[in-house]
Amino acid sequence: MGNVTVTAPAKAILVGEHFVVAGCPAIALALDIRAKATAELLNEDVIEIVSKEFGIRRYGGKETRVEDPLYPVYLVVKEVLKLAGSNQGLKVVIESNIPPAAGLGSSAAVAVATASAVAKLLGLNASLEEITRTAYTGEVEIHKKPSGIDNTVSAYGGAIYFSIGKGFERLDVNFSQVRLVLADSGIQRSTGTLVARVLALKSKHSSVLDQVYAAATVLVENTRDALEREDFTAVGELMNINHGLLSAIGVSNAKLEELIYTARQAGALGAKITGAGGGGMILALCWREDAEQIAMELSKASTKVLMTSVSEKGVTLESG
Ligand code: PMV
């Protein structure tokens, strides 16, 4: 068999990040920004991972854990090999247009694309559920205890209503009237560290924060209703309220607030942190015709601004 190329989308959490870790629901959107994995059989007994950004790694199959951005990709490959009952040597080439460590689920998209490309290369007819599960192995390595929302939305595409333990539903929404604008704060952060900090604050001030978590649950349900009515004005208002709740649990900062207020003043329907916060990107929901102007205003305060749409396509076989 020749090469197999698969792509998978980035994600943005529309509402519910952090609260989702404690069992509340959240809604995530797949974005029109993709990661690509190309898998190829090798005659040697080795797993080779190649990335333009991080270089080439060769693994013999018995490695112990190493701190390396490509190690989680290797774990995903091993997991698929286990599923196929195979020891086949192979090479995976990763190319991603998704900015890393910015809250856009780049690692999950790479893991999903890799799992799917390797499965197809090995002739395994893996379900989306199996792809999501194998990709999660890589996410655990990176984020310690991730909710699983990133790999789920990257595999299935569209808008996903998700809660831990209860699974997910794909929402039927037409997003053609709106665009998403993302602006980078330029501040690097670790999801694992922020999640741990939020959980510590929650247990210290549980009598107060339990109410915030309860409000977040209602907020996500109301956002789901608003999406299903395609009432994007209400979705934007709920995003703004969600941002207030994220500030309450301590994951905003002055730079993120600057970007969020810039987007709102430029006419965004709603603007908030997306993902773990502390840095990374902000997400603004805009009417299609306003998006360019809002992106322009944001580019005065941010080094990287992306304008994108919701991707109905999840993991996709491109060739092979
Ligand atoms: O910033 P990201 O893309 O790593 O997203 C983190 C989202 C959290 O809800 C904070 C954690 C999680 O595992 O869902």
Side-chain angles (χ1 to χ4, degrees):
M1 164 166 265
N3 296 355
V4 175
T5 299
V6 172
T7 62
K11 71 95 203 5
I13 298 183
L14 182 67
V15 282
E17 54 272 88
H18 281 291
F19 307 109
V20 71
V21 174
C24 304
I27 297 171
L29 308 174
L31 307 178
D32 248 341
I33 312 171
R34 303 180 78 83
K36 179 159 95 177
T38 300
E40 182 187 328
L41 297 177
L42 291 180
N43 290 327
E44 294 170 83
D45 213 4
V46 69
I47 297 167
E48 189 173 305
I49 313 288
V50 182
S51 134
K52 213 179 184 178
E53 213 183 336
F54 300 111
I56 302 177
R57 304 288 186 280
R58 287 165 71 87
Y59 300 96
K62 293 196 171 52
E63 279 77 5
T64 45
R65 191 174 178 278
V66 283
E67 279 295 335
D68 185 278
L70 296 182
Y71 182 70
V73 184
Y74 157 68
L75 289 183
V76 171
V77 174
K78 265 209 347 187
E79 201 62 23
V80 183
L81 284 166
K82 200 158 93 189
L83 201 66
S86 165
N87 287 321
Q88 174 66 49
L90 52 90
K91 171 174 163 180
V92 178
V93 180
I94 306 296
E95 289 162 80
S96 177
N97 290 325
I98 309 170
L104 301 188
S106 71
S107 60
V110 166
V112 165
T114 299
S116 174
V118 173
K120 176 84 168 82
L121 185 76
L122 298 173
L124 197 67
N125 196 7
S127 63
L128 278 179
E129 205 273 322
E130 283 169 320
I131 297 299
T132 309
R133 196 152 24 87
T134 43
Y136 186 71
T137 318
E139 289 294 278
V140 170
E141 177 61 26
I142 301 170
H143 300 303
K144 311 299 170 228
K145 222 177 150 238
S147 61
I149 195 167
D150 287 21
N151 43 307
T152 303
V153 72
S154 185
Y156 288 85
I160 297 281
Y161 170 91
F162 175 97
S163 40
I164 294 178
K166 294 197 202 113
F168 70 92
E169 285 171 63
R170 202 173 186 281
L171 306 179
D172 184 18
V173 185
N174 178 350
F175 285 96
S176 59
Q177 300 174 68
V178 290
R179 290 284 176 275
L180 301 167
V181 179
L182 294 135
D184 198 351
S185 65
I187 304 168
Q188 295 275 326
R189 83 287 184 282
S190 142
T191 297
T193 308
L194 280 146
V195 167
R197 204 196 295 161
V198 168
L199 291 175
L201 193 72
K202 181 178 189 292
S203 72
K204 186 171 176 190
H205 297 286
S206 58
S207 55
V208 178
L209 289 181
D210 284 354
Q211 318 282 329
V212 175
Y213 278 66
T217 299
V218 179
L219 185 144
V220 173
E221 297 303 341
N222 290 3
T223 306
R224 178 190 174 142
D225 292 346
L227 282 172
E228 286 174 339
R229 295 193 307 273
E230 282 156 30
D231 180 353
F232 294 109
T233 302
V235 173
E237 287 161 357
L238 289 160
M239 287 171 70
N240 290 342
I241 300 171
N242 191 165
H243 181 72
L245 302 184
L246 288 166
S247 291
I249 58 170
V251 295
S252 192
N253 60 36
K255 183 67 195 175
L256 291 166
E257 294 298 325
E258 181 197 354
L259 295 174
I260 285 160
Y261 278 91
T262 300
R264 289 180 190 168
Q265 277 154 13
L269 293 161
K272 61 183 275 290
I273 283 169
T274 186
M281 290 211 156
I282 65 113
L283 171 71
L285 179 74
C286 316
W287 293 122
R288 197 180 47 197
E289 52 278 16
D290 297 341
E292 223 152 290
Q293 173 65 26
I294 293 163
M296 209 180 72
E297 289 300 326
L298 279 167
S299 63
K300 294 178 191 161
S302 162
T303 48
K304 182 175 225 123
V305 177
L306 304 170
M307 200 166 70
T308 186
S309 314
V310 176
S311 169
E312 286 304 318
K313 273 197 319 186
V315 62
T316 303
L317 177 66
E318 303 291 347
S319 66

